[in-house]
Amino acid sequence: MATYLEFIQQNEERDGVRFSWNVWPSSRLEATRMVVPLACLLTPLKERPDLPPVQYEPVLCSRTTCKAILNPLCQVDYRAKLWACNFCFQRNQFPPAYTGISEVNQPAELMPQFSTIEYVIQRGAQSPLIFLYVVDTCLEEDDLQALKESLQMSLSLLPPDALVGLITFGRMVQVHELSCEGISKSYVFRGTKDLTAKQIQDMLGLTKPAMPMQQARPGQPHEQPFVSSRFLQPVHKIDMNLTDLLGELQRDPWPVTQGKRPLRSTGVALSIAVGLLEGTFPNTGARIMLFTGGPPTQGPGMVVGDELKVPIRSWHDIEKDNARFMKKATKHYEMLANRTATNGHCIDIYACALDQTGLLEMKCCANLTGGHMVMGDSFNTSLFKQTFQRIFSKDFNGDFRMAFGATLEVKTSRELKVAGAIGPCVSLNVKGPCVSENELGVGGTSQWKICGLDPTSTLGIYFEVVNQHNAPVPQGGRGAIQFVTQYQHSSTQRRIRVTTIARNWADAQSQLRHIEAAFDQEAAAVLMARLGVFRAESEEGPDVLRWLDRQLIRLCQKFGQYNKEDPTSFRLSDSFSLYPQPVLLDSSSILAERILLMDTFFQIVIYLGETIAQWRKAGYQDMPEYENFKHLLQAPLDDAQEILQARFPMPRYINTEHGGSQARFLLSKVNPSQTHNNLYAWGQETGAPILTDDVSLQVFMDHLKKLAVSSAC
Amino acid sequence: MSQQGYVATPPYSQSQPGIGLSPPHYGHYGDPSHAGSPPGMMKPAGPLGAAAPGGMLPHGPSPPGPQQFGQNGAHAQGHPPQRFPGPPPVNSAAPSYAPYSPSTQSSYLSPASTASVTQLASQLNAMHINSYGSGMAPPGQGPPGPPSAPLFQGLPRPPQPSIMQPGSQVLPPPPTALNGPGASPLPPSTHRQDGLPGPAPLNAQYQPPPVPGQTLGTGYSPQQAASYGGGQLSYPGGFPGGPAQLAGPPQLQKKLDPDSIPSPIQVIENDRATRGGQVYATNSRGQVPPLVTTDCVIQDQGNASPRYIRCTTYCFPCTSDMAKQAQIPLAAVIKPFATIPSNETPLYLVNHGENGPVRCNRCKAYMCPFMQFIEGGRRYQCGFCNCVNDVPPFYFQHLDHIGRRLDHYEKPELSLGSYEYVATLDYCRKNKPPNPPAFIFMIDVSYSNIKNGLVKLICEELKTVLEKLPKEEQEETSAIRVGFITYNKVLHFFNVKSNLAQPQMMVVTDVGEVFVPLLDGFLVNYQESQSVIHNLLDQIPEMFADSNENETVFAPVIQAGMEALKAADCPGKLFIFHSSLPTAEAPGKLKNRDDKKLINTDKEKTLFQPQTNVYDSLAKDCVAHGCCVTLFLFPSQYVDVASLGLVPQLTGGTLYKYNNFQMHMDSQQFLNDLRNDIEKKIGFDAIMRIRTSTGFRATDFFGGIFMNNTTDVEMAAIDCDKAVTVEFKHDDKLAEDSGALIQCAVLYTTTGGQRRLRIHNLSLNCSSQLADLYKSCETDALINFFAKSAFKAVLHQPLKVIREILVNQTAHMLACYRKNCASPSAASQLILPDSMKVLPVYMNCLLKNCVLLSRPEISTDERAYQRQLVMTMGVADSQLFFYPQLLPIHTLDVKSTTLPTAIRCSESRLSEEGIFLLANGLNMFLWLGVSSPPELIQGIFNVPSFAHINTDMTTLPEVGNPYSQTLRMIISIIQQKRPYSMKLTIVKQREQPEMVFRQFLVEDKGLYGGSSYVDFLCCVHKEICQLLN
């Protein structure tokens, strides 16, 4: 039955929501026994070309603790012009504008196909988009040149009225004033000094009432944007100026003696960027875009010292708690990230270097604010250039695919509570009747802030069924969830997108098959992965792995069909078949006369088997009689191109062959069914052995089955 | 104890080695036991008591009998009789006084004196002396009488003759009996020493004025006598004991003719006449050079030119006992980079290549004419420490028949007093050749400087003046790099790299911890970056045109400049153009702490001390990095010069101050100073070391210097106008035959970035005869020393104490001479050694300087400023500063190119029909008598009459007329050799600005106190008499 697959797909397309379970176990106890929690992946701004926003504001439930938004699931009394909230059952009067409604004249939000609807808020001042470039100048000449070009190019992609600013850093941090004629002016900060937000704003002259301005324009009320005008200017005004400024940008001039890393003040630069926006445009959509070519080496947030003889921390160091700067640096960036999130801004990190750049310490900057994090080898690669360009891609309406300052609110019907969310968000700490005491991910709230998001930004939202076992939900009853996302659209409008969904309850004992059939194993895998990653933030790696293993075993025990103590009898139904084994590519696939195309999201690898490679070397593809060989070679290239076009961030594209050094990208991903340990057992003819101690999927599955059927667990 | 040491009885002992002024006191700065109490034992009882030896104290204010008055009369000699009776001209004949003595007495005793005083005052015309009389008489009696007060208050009224002086006399004149000794029956003639052991009586001098021997009108004379006495004795401020002298037994009285007391002009002219225009060869030990005011050609023949080194005496006493007895400071004023006129030979440069200079192994003295070669030239004996050294092989040379090296005349270091060595890497920081220095221009762009056009003026001027950066003679362009910073409460650095299309500005707001935001492009070669720099200088005034930032920082500015030099690893000089009290939140922030209430208290010294120690440590850092700071100040109110000026002073920089800067009035003066300062010869990152032959050593140093230990004089930079005064003390006996040798070595970096050593050698005589010592003294150098020593002391001592010390020491020096060198004569005679004839008048000028005058009328900043200036002055500059040059212009011979003969700085020398030019090195005045000849007015100003003259001008119009041309030539000659541009002020007689001018008539009683020359001379005389007794 393709029905559930279709249902899942349809729901995802319409609402941007995928649940781990599409039929919900009706009691807390049952839900717990399902192992995989009731949760969903929500893509709040899922692109909906077929969904024009309505130009009015939503109607809210009048109960102050509810304030749910009128939706197709609500009971409506057309005659009395009343509607009943499907979350709190409050009866509400329609507002005056709705006097004309009837069964045949319904507002969009009542129509079933508008389970997701978007409202445009007309109130409030529109604020421009803000892009603050924070550029590392400790780069190799060609890297810097490439970066400068990319940045110059980006100016033409920005909306003309967007405000743009530039901070450069190396040994020192320079905040460039963009409005000066005749002389370029910048404010310079020591790269080693931790400055408070207040100090930064004082030093940039942001806190002082703009006296000169007032005098210069008597009578005009003082508006805040004027204060910052020196550092953030509309693109259309300083386009040329900034292009020149970027053009003249030089590598950090301070000499780097042999055996030293350049002094890179990333921590202070970010701190100043955050402080600058904080002082000028709080709660307005803004992107801090950090471009860095190496690890921070001085000041707050430094990750490694400037002595080259001391290598940057490895996982080994971290595990042994031997990474000297890590905790302090992480704390610094976390502090910045939290401040940024509070102000509704986001931080992108574009790190291009062959060695590590300290993303581990800085990751929260992007994670907590919904920024992008892009890693590459060099700014002078198409990977970076195209990824960067893709940031400014536009949707079918010609609007930028980015939104800012979103708050996501989740409302649940009474049988459910929200346990938490995992994604590029921070808690807004809003308690309410639908907030669970148990936390999964970022919990304890029914609202989250997502400072930067795009049509693909997805959160995992975890729920708890609170219905008691002895008070089951009436058969046929449905649970409902409403997602309300308020955000600043790239067109600078404030918008609200409302998605209201409902799913059936089922009694897990009598209707387990229903529940099982409605399992979305892809969503579940992602949701479990998010939980695992989230736990890994705070727990030791091995503990998390053990936890994941245990969850998997329990799931297999619950839903597998087997005879006790008989691994060979173990079977999983279709809806679970992929869950334990997401890896399909096996080393046994690597054969001499094959071409392989591997897509791992971040990497696309085309691999020519040994024979194929020899043929190509011999030039067969150029001979008319081997035209089909030519097509054969071309086909994966075309496929890869297609993926490359759409993917963000742009994946690393690797075109290699048997024995090529870059074949490692393939070899590191395939299932190691042949290793040096079992090579002889498997014989010479099949596939390529992988030199690893990791177990292969087969071994893993065997082990899993054994444990699942074991009664000892 | 110490006080006794030199005050009580001869032999006067120099109680403390290493202390110049008055050993006991200065030696103990900071030592409460000394600092706390007035120095002289003679003055235990406060001001009055001070003037009288203890023994005399019992004398009441109105001692019995006329004798006292007679004695007073003796003191009164200083006053020219002419002053009293209006019309009668000057005259003083000893006998003439006698008749008056009784009346003097009576006037004293009778309360009527007051009345008569007033009467006197009203009757007599404009005579200073009258005024003295009037003012003095009452105080002599006791508390000031009522009339004196009005007189005192009347000060500002210029036309009233009496107004000038009374002030001093009015001061508390407690009744004390003065000199018992004064009883000498002889007329109080001052004896003049003509350089011979036998003193010639001053009388001789007095005689010349062929006075009709007029006696004063009886009515007046007594009072005058009395009043004079009072006037003389009571030294304003510090020495108000004057009246006490009156108590002495009556004496023959004599009025002193001002013409009869030693005249500085006469001394200057005499020296000019005998030595001017001649060649002075420095070929013999201990010779006394011509005065600083005498033009002659100096030929180096083995001793450093007096342009480089002048000494207080060219003959040192053999023993420290002698030195203590005479109390003559043994000091040298060294101006190592003095400008040498083009007709004298510039310094030779000796280059020994990698060997470097030849130096004594023990004392490290450099090879010089004082090294004695022996053993056929294989060894030499050091003249300083007597160590016998091997001659390095590369340096060997045979000796001739008189034991002199054959190459004696080929090697500057063997035959000359001054020369330079090329230094080897051993003499460089980190053993690396230095980088050429850099100049950083730092402009205060706060609101007021923008508004009054100063910023624009500076930027415009820099464009021209940068073309004239100092360079080595052989070089085409200057090696000096330049950089620019503007600032208000934040700092703006500029990148002016030559390849930039436009300058880049980098703002540093972290003034708490200032740093240099750029490495490359801040310090640039002017020629290469000319267009960017001009672009910048054009833009700066506009860039800040809309700024209304009032607050400034200061210490961070210096810090920034210093850090920039440090980063560039070069020495250099900061030119800071600043105008306000730095009140912005930053290190070195200052508050207005000017408090007139502190004046005349023990806390007055704090006004001269910096407000915070930030500047002190900043100066230390600057010196350590060869960063010299020159400060141009444009204050419109109190800016705390004492704090702001500290770094410039300690780093060998210059402080320029333009009060209430107005574009049309002051820009010329400022621009001249700026040009001059940029172009002048200067050495950077210097260390000076003074080596002496055995028996004495340098103990104290004054100047724009910094010392981390007791021997190395560190200077961030030293220019051609800066002098260091060094005091010497005995640590053993000196031998007459070997003399006293001094070698001053300055290691420095040239403007071209070469490391060099400049060596000056000087040999002095030694003698066990005090007379030899006195014969070889140089008063100008003495005053230089006393001034610096006193001005240094104001940081630690109450001014009153300092003034007392100065007077006491003056008296001691003269008393010692009188006692030991002069031929016997009446005790009441004032006998001055020839070499110190003008010491009293100069000393009086020093005492009247606003630094030492505790008067609330004088701005605290001005006092701090002058204090600082004097600390680095050379002898010529201090001479002019303390005794200004006053030239009659109306008698100008327009055909002559020589300057007219100067006249003495006294109002009595002016005339209504005359025009006079006065200059002191900082200020210049053209004083116009109300009846100035119209043809001169026309000739100079191109206006028909006196009334048409616009006194606002600061330069004279160029009129095609010999008067105009000659006068302007004179002005330029006077200006030429001076480190500061003098602002010309036109003063019309009897107009208000005349008050300012009168302060410079230093022989008169000061506007704000300070006695007249005559009074002071009497005061000193009295002291001497006491000492001799």
Side-chain angles (χ1 to χ4, degrees), chain A residues 55 76 91 148 166 228 233 287 322 347 390 535 544 554 580 589 591 595 671 674 676 705:
Chain A
Q55 302 290 323
V76 178
R91 295 170 70 81
K148 278 155 64 174
L166 176 66
S228 60
Q233 287 279 305
R287 271 204 120 75
N322 209 10
I347 301 176
R390 221 158 277 172
R535 277 173 176 256
V544 178
R554 283 180 55 204
S589 311
L591 294 173
I595 301 175
N671 176 42
Q674 294 122 306
H676 56 286
K705 286 172 189 169

Side-chain angles (χ1 to χ4, degrees), chain A residues 321-592:
Chain A
D321 200 16
N322 209 10
R324 225 181 113 203
F325 305 105
M326 197 177 83
K327 280 204 183 105
K328 234 178 127 190
T330 307
K331 208 172 150 204
H332 175 75
Y333 294 110
E334 268 173 8
M335 179 270 292
L336 289 181
N338 281 315
R339 268 170 53 197
T340 311
T342 307
N343 293 305
H345 306 137
C346 72
I347 301 176
D348 293 347
I349 303 177
Y350 305 88
C352 289
L354 287 169
D355 198 358
Q356 298 192 62
T357 53
L359 282 184
L360 173 69
E361 285 82 354
M362 292 191 275
K363 63 172 187 265
C364 50
C365 289
N367 285 352
L368 299 187
T369 65
H372 303 302
M373 193 191 276
V374 175
M375 238 171 111
D377 290 346
S378 157
F379 289 108
N380 198 12
T381 55
S382 59
L383 184 149
F384 166 73
K385 290 177 184 171
Q386 295 192 19
T387 300
F388 183 53
Q389 205 165 348
R390 221 158 277 172
I391 307 258
F392 302 102
S393 64
K394 293 180 178 172
D395 65 12
F396 51 94
N397 279 330
D399 290 325
F400 287 95
R401 286 193 169 94
M402 58 177 84
F404 296 94
T407 51
L408 167 68
E409 183 174 7
V410 179
K411 296 180 191 302
T412 58
S413 50
R414 289 176 178 171
E415 304 82 9
L416 284 174
K417 288 196 175 190
V418 190
I422 298 179
C425 61
V426 289
S427 163
L428 280 174
N429 275 321
V430 177
K431 311 286 183 205
C434 59
V435 176
S436 163
E437 282 176 7
N438 298 319
E439 294 187 18
L440 277 178
V442 181
T445 180
S446 62
Q447 290 184 24
W448 293 265
K449 190 161 193 174
I450 315 164
C451 295
L453 67 173
D454 61 35
T456 64
S457 302
T458 300
L459 281 80
I461 303 190
Y462 299 82
F463 300 94
E464 185 184 22
V465 178
V466 291
N467 220 35
Q468 289 306 314
H469 190 56
N470 47 10
V473 178
Q475 287 291 319
R478 300 216 288 174
I481 299 174
Q482 189 170 59
F483 303 102
V484 182
T485 312
Q486 299 198 42
Y487 69 99
Q488 180 189 329
H489 188 259
S490 64
S491 65
T492 76
Q493 290 167 334
R494 288 295 313 172
R495 293 191 181 187
I496 301 177
R497 186 182 280 214
V498 181
T499 297
T500 317
I501 59 97
R503 293 291 187 272
N504 290 327
W505 295 109
D507 176 22
Q509 279 170 345
S510 56
Q511 295 171 304
L512 188 61
R513 292 298 140 212
H514 287 251
I515 296 173
E516 195 182 317
F519 182 64
D520 181 344
Q521 52 182 338
E522 286 178 354
V526 174
L527 285 161
M528 286 305 283
R530 288 202 184 211
L531 273 180
V533 169
F534 187 84
R535 277 173 176 256
E537 299 283 309
S538 50
E539 292 172 28
E540 295 288 323
D543 294 348
V544 178
L545 287 177
R546 255 197 301 282
W547 176 80
L548 278 172
D549 284 346
R550 217 169 32 243
Q551 297 296 312
L552 182 58
I553 295 163
R554 283 180 55 204
L555 187 78
C556 291
Q557 286 175 328
K558 174 87 180 169
F559 296 101
Q561 295 167 345
Y562 53 88
N563 302 325
K564 277 212 161 50
E565 308 297 344
D566 178 8
T568 53
S569 66
F570 185 86
R571 294 287 180 278
L572 273 173
S573 69
D574 283 351
S575 55
F576 288 87
S577 58
L578 283 175
Y579 183 80
Q581 43 169 336
V583 183
L584 288 175
L585 196 55
D586 192 276
S587 59
S588 59
S589 311
I590 302 174
L591 294 173

Side-chain angles (χ1 to χ4, degrees), chain B residues 527-548:
Chain B
Q527 300 299 338
E528 286 170 13
S529 289
Q530 194 186 32
S531 66
V532 190
I533 290 174
H534 282 216
N535 184 340
L536 171 67
L537 293 172
D538 284 338
Q539 286 196 50
I540 286 176
E542 283 159 29
M543 222 183 304
F544 301 100
D546 298 332
S547 156
N548 49 8

